Amino acid sequence: MSNVSPHVFPTYDFSLPMFVRGEGAYVYTEEGNRYIDLTSGIGVTCMGHSHPALVATLQEQSTQLWHLSNLFTDGRQERVAARLCEHSHAEQVFFCNSGSEAIEASIKLARRYFQQRGQSERYRIVAARHSFHGRTMTAIAASGQKKLTDGFAPLPSGFDHITFGVLEEADRALTAHTAAVLIEPIQGEGGIHVADDVYLQGLATLCQQRGCLLIVDEVQCGMGRSGKLFAHQWSAIKPNIIAMAKGLGGGFPVGACLADKQTAQGFTKGSHGSTFGGNPLAMAVADKVLELLFAKDFLPTMMGNAKKLHDGLTQLCQTYPQILHPWRGKGLMIGLPCVIGNHHVIEAFHQNNVLAVPAGCNVVRLLPPLTITAEVIAESLTAMDKACAQLARDNQHLKQSNKHSGA
Ligand SMILES: Cc1ncc(COP(=O)(O)O)c(C=O)c1O
């Protein structure tokens, strides 16, 4: 089923029926059919759909103040920034509206930091092949993937690419012209690849030794998804710049670029800006999302539930080795590498009322809301088991009919 509209650019293939309502981990069609949403709008609705506290916050803020521009303040940016800094080693925050903009700000900040220090020869950014940093010209140049850059030349220059997880390549790639290394602590679009501690710590040390900055892209893996506010915190590193977005607004568009005080000096008055960034509506919601996330039991409860999902998926992958390889990921950022085409698995999940999203390396990505309960996890595991059993039967039939036809 496809919902392609003649009046919307065909950049997306809207499949499935239209959804008109969401509540917690569920979304509903107009006819009232219920689906378990294990995508969270690709890692965005971290508190689930229509969280009552977020609804109330947005409703209340909408009666107070919608927009001011960054010529004036209502004090909310300061409050959200203070919360983020309190729970990380960052000291200053710039607000924007999306992940791509957070990446743009991060790269601009790194380059200008060195320009301000009289080191304008340091402008190159080292990033990983098969990474994903968004869709602006700079972000696609950073990822360097042909499928993202095709047709958009000329791209911004100054990017070098290394293999994710291979420290020796980073060692060779860093030169006197490198401004920063840009890395996702857990690659999302690329297929849920978790950078191990040795790699992240090695990158941080290399950057320090060579005098360049470390930027982490926490747009997808941040905001508690790995079990900590930021995924890099598991490795106890202190990157100079952190890009974040997605879950920060729980569904309201907002992004942020965080930095330590020294690095933040790269931006001076008038050097960067955004009309909507840090808008009162976005800040009110982000403030509430962070309040919920930092509540004492929130992340431990989430990790307890994540463990139940992990255990269930281990079982699922063992039961259907003809469909799934062992799962990988951290917290509630999970990849199911597929033996058959990942689109077949996603479609089978959909037919069993479970929503999942594809990722690179033939992976099915699960990004459930951080608030998903043990009951809904059990329900989704039952549905995914049913889907895999159907696929296994179909696969068996296909093999048999191929054998009979001599194919
Ligand atoms: C790791 C990462 N960085 C950046 C982005 C870009 O974010 P946005 O789509 O909000 O511009 C994404 C989006 O999926 C992402 O996963």
Side-chain angles (χ1 to χ4, degrees):
M1 266 172 289
S2 187
N3 292 322
V4 174
S5 155
H7 302 300
V8 176
F9 275 18
T11 47
Y12 304 111
D13 176 19
F14 301 112
S15 53
L16 288 163
M18 267 192 244
F19 293 112
V20 293
R21 190 169 71 80
E23 192 180 340
Y26 296 116
V27 283
Y28 297 84
T29 65
E30 206 160 13
E31 300 78 35
N33 291 329
R34 191 174 80 171
Y35 287 75
I36 304 172
D37 182 3
L38 299 186
T39 73
S40 301
I42 318 196
V44 170
T45 50
C46 59
M47 296 299 159
H49 295 282
S50 309
H51 189 291
L54 300 185
V55 172
T57 299
L58 189 57
Q59 279 175 343
E60 194 193 326
Q61 184 61 38
S62 73
T63 65
Q64 305 289 313
L65 194 60
W66 284 33
H67 183 76
L68 273 173
S69 84
N70 285 304
L71 298 173
F72 312 102
T73 179
D74 65 345
R76 285 187 180 277
Q77 281 196 25
E78 178 53 34
R79 206 160 126 166
V80 177
R83 276 197 198 274
L84 289 170
C85 293
E86 190 192 331
H87 292 268
S88 68
H89 69 282
E91 293 168 301
Q92 291 193 330
V93 183
F94 174 86
F95 289 105
C96 52
N97 313 284
S98 67
S100 302
E101 283 174 76
I103 290 294
E104 287 278 338
S106 301
I107 292 172
K108 285 178 72 177
L109 177 60
R111 285 188 173 163
R112 201 163 188 278
Y113 169 77
F114 285 111
Q115 189 262 350
Q116 292 279 96
R117 292 163 59 103
Q119 292 177 272
S120 48
E121 76 283 1
R122 278 203 181 268
Y123 65 91
R124 301 193 71 83
I125 307 294
V126 171
R129 278 180 214 103
H130 308 298
S131 58
F132 185 83
H133 300 291
R135 297 292 193 147
T136 59
M137 293 293 261
T138 307
I140 59 174
S143 78
Q145 291 196 56
K146 191 162 180 333
K147 69 174 184 194
L148 302 176
T149 58
D150 199 25
F152 298 118
L155 298 173
S157 60
F159 293 89
D160 301 307
H161 293 101
I162 55 173
T163 306
F164 184 80
V166 182
L167 202 54
E168 302 77 59
E169 279 199 30
D171 190 10
R172 284 196 296 274
L174 296 193
T175 71
H177 296 289
T178 307
V181 172
L182 167 64
I183 204 86
E184 292 164 84
I186 306 175
Q187 284 192 333
E189 295 283 330
I192 312 292
H193 300 288
V194 183
D196 64 30
D197 293 347
V198 174
Y199 183 60
L200 287 183
Q201 287 160 4
L203 278 183
T205 305
L206 270 181
C207 289
Q208 229 167 26
Q209 286 170 347
R210 307 291 175 80
C212 66
L213 304 176
L214 179 61
I215 306 172
V216 286
D217 182 342
E218 292 267 359
V219 169
Q220 192 166 146
C221 59
M223 279 306 287
R225 187 149 289 283
S226 74
K228 288 191 186 284
L229 171 63
F230 294 121
H232 73 263
Q233 291 174 327
W234 288 104
S235 308
I237 58 164
K238 292 185 173 172
N240 306 88
I241 304 176
I242 304 166
M244 69 183 305
K246 287 196 186 272
L248 179 58
F252 200 95
V254 56
C257 167
L258 287 63
D260 60 72
K261 222 172 206 155
Q262 181 175 327
T263 309
Q265 285 171 6
F267 279 161
T268 49
K269 201 180 276 181
S271 57
H272 192 53
S274 163
T275 295
F276 293 115
N279 154 306
L281 293 170
M283 290 296 98
V285 181
D287 191 32
K288 186 52 82 175
V289 171
L290 290 172
E291 184 189 314
L292 297 171
L293 187 78
F294 295 140
K296 195 165 138 282
D297 291 333
F298 186 87
L299 288 176
T301 303
M302 172 214 138
M303 286 306 266
N305 288 330
K307 171 85 172 52
K308 293 190 174 90
L309 182 55
H310 297 169
D311 291 347
L313 290 175
T314 301
Q315 182 70 46
L316 188 77
C317 297
Q318 279 167 2
T319 311
Y320 301 102
Q322 65 277 58
I323 309 296
L324 300 171
H325 294 294
W327 68 272
R328 58 178 181 241
K330 198 162 196 160
L332 288 177
M333 186 161 180
I334 295 168
L336 299 174
C338 298
V339 177
I340 60 173
N342 58 354
H343 57 283
H344 293 304
V345 178
I346 287 175
E347 194 169 327
F349 283 5
H350 287 177
Q351 280 164 6
N352 286 278
N353 291 41
V354 170
L355 304 183
V357 62
C361 296
N362 200 32
V363 158
V364 171
R365 205 172 0 159
L366 307 180
L367 303 166
L370 309 185
T371 50
I372 193 165
T373 61
E375 292 71 33
V376 181
I377 286 171
E379 191 188 339
S380 64
L381 285 166
T382 304
M384 287 189 278
D385 187 283
K386 216 168 130 195
C388 287
Q390 283 160 1
L391 285 168
R393 272 197 306 273
D394 293 350
N395 233 19
Q396 190 60 25
H397 287 153
L398 197 66
K399 269 196 197 141
Q400 270 167 3
S401 62
N402 282 347
K403 206 160 98 190
H404 292 313
S405 70

